[in-house]
Amino acid sequence: MHRHTETGIRRRSRRLGSVAAALGLLTAAACTSAPTGSVPSALTPEPKPDTLSVATWNMCGVEQWGCEDKGSADDKFQQLRALAESRGVRVMLLQEVCSEDLLSAARRLGRDWHSEFDPYVSVDEAGRSVPVGCTGGGRGQAGSGLLAASPLTEVKAVPTRQPTAGVHRRFLCALVPAQGVRVCNGHVALRGSDTVRPDWDFRDEQLRSLFEAASQDDRTIVGGDFNSPPPVGGSTTSWLWPAAAYTAYRECDQKGASRAGRRTHEDGAKIDYLFTALERTGCQVVDTKASDHRALVMRVSRPAPETPAVPQAPVVSTS
């Protein structure tokens, strides 16, 4: 992954070589976040029928981006399965996932599971572009993905400004009709990601594009790896955030008016988010031990599922 360049965040150095480690079940502590001042409950394994659990997780699956020691493809799948089976997650927003790993995960989770993938693209100064590949053999391309326990429809890329030269990471939005929600998955570029103009920062424009896309449907859950700290206190990066983020929406790990949240990255920063205008009923930050990011799991009150319109029989005139 790319190095975090502000607010004291630095990726720790990693020793070379493979690390074999037995991964246990996901561990987590309940967030102390709240929709309007009260604290939503910790998530229990079995959600109620009128609630929906959604997760975002940067899987650190692109080994050449400093993820060599963050577990195998199967290690990461076991964590996806634990999110689904132990946490009751039915929709997942994934970043730094390999295309073949995502397809395999959907198959292994069961016939009800569906996925959508969008590749990261490396663009050079001449405008030539090639997809970013995953190392490790047979894992396909690197990118962002959606994984859901029901079909995804109306999948659309969100147009946003990208570096002149560097890695382009589009955002995906999709409807999940069976769950009654729409989701938008973002992986925001860090400052310095433009190799031609490394002093440029695209995060404010990309975040604005993402929340504008979310505003098209009041059932939207928007989240991902935003590579930005929350706008708290005297933060020098508060200007990155559109006003709608904490006015029209509430964040999973938000207590009352506070915009701070628990750390989601191993370096101690919160850079992963889930926002919604739906009622939040629970939030957890989950240590997967298979990535440098923790997963964020939010439970919301489930909107009424969409039902297909029933065509009306034509009225036949008898006059």
Side-chain angles (χ1 to χ4, degrees):
M1 287 180 62
H2 302 289
R3 185 179 299 274
H4 297 281
T5 56
E6 72 276 334
T7 65
I9 304 169
R10 293 291 186 271
R11 182 176 297 281
R12 296 188 181 92
S13 61
R14 297 191 175 112
R15 59 187 176 85
L16 299 176
S18 61
V19 177
L23 294 177
L25 292 176
L26 294 171
T27 59
C31 289
T32 56
S33 54
T36 57
S38 61
V39 178
S41 61
L43 299 180
T44 54
E46 294 298 329
K48 296 179 181 179
D50 59 348
T51 63
L52 169 68
S53 291
V54 177
T56 182
W57 184 33
N58 182 316
M59 295 177 63
C60 201
V62 189
E63 291 184 356
Q64 68 268 30
W65 288 356
C67 296
E68 304 92 341
D69 62 349
K70 291 303 179 182
S72 66
D74 188 65
D75 292 332
K76 296 176 190 298
F77 168 73
Q78 296 304 328
Q79 303 310 310
L80 292 175
R81 184 165 66 179
L83 286 171
E85 296 181 356
S86 299
R87 307 292 170 192
V89 173
R90 290 296 171 264
V91 185
M92 303 186 197
L93 284 58
L94 305 173
Q95 307 85 43
E96 293 189 28
V97 60
C98 299
S99 57
E100 293 303 311
D101 293 350
L102 182 63
L103 286 172
S104 175
R107 288 193 298 266
R108 294 173 70 182
L109 286 172
R111 66 176 63 186
D112 292 335
W113 285 82
H114 299 259
S115 66
E116 292 288 343
F117 177 82
D118 195 72
Y120 300 144
V121 177
S122 179
V123 180
D124 65 17
E125 295 182 14
R128 295 182 294 263
S129 62
V130 293
V132 177
C134 281
T135 58
R139 297 179 66 186
Q141 300 173 351
S144 296
L146 299 172
L147 189 60
S150 56
L152 295 152
T153 66
E154 298 188 32
V155 181
K156 298 178 181 178
V158 176
T160 190
R161 192 171 184 186
Q162 298 283 355
T164 306
V167 176
H168 288 198
R169 296 177 287 200
R170 300 194 307 175
F171 310 149
L172 283 184
C173 294
L175 290 177
V176 195
Q179 308 295 345
V181 299
R182 177 173 175 261
V183 293
C184 291
N185 182 18
H187 191 179
V188 175
L190 272 169
R191 182 180 180 183
S193 57
D194 192 325
T195 58
V196 175
R197 301 177 177 85
D199 57 325
W200 284 18
D201 198 331
F202 298 89
R203 289 176 294 175
D204 60 326
E205 294 177 84
Q206 291 192 349
L207 285 170
R208 184 169 63 250
S209 297
L210 194 55
F211 279 95
E212 286 175 353
S215 69
Q216 297 172 14
D217 192 319
D218 58 11
R219 302 165 301 165
T220 299
I221 297 168
V222 57
D225 177 358
F226 289 176
N227 275 319
S228 306
V232 296
S235 171
T236 58
T237 54
S238 294
W239 62 273
L240 296 171
W241 290 89
Y246 288 90
T247 55
Y249 304 92
R250 305 287 290 181
E251 207 273 323
C252 174
D253 198 12
Q254 181 181 351
K255 181 179 180 181
S258 172
R259 299 178 180 185
R262 299 173 64 190
R263 68 182 181 94
T264 61
H265 191 269
E266 67 179 8
D267 283 338
K270 176 176 174 60
I271 55 176
D272 301 271
Y273 300 83
L274 285 170
F275 287 87
T276 189
L278 300 171
E279 180 188 4
R280 299 169 304 151
T281 61
C283 184
Q284 279 186 329
V285 180
V286 182
D287 189 358
T288 67
K289 296 182 172 61
S291 172
D292 55 353
H293 289 249
R294 294 176 170 183
L296 189 63
V297 181
M298 180 171 65
R299 182 173 295 163
V300 298
S301 294
R302 185 195 302 270
E306 290 185 347
T307 55
V310 178
Q312 299 296 316
V315 177
V316 179
S317 174
T318 58
S319 59

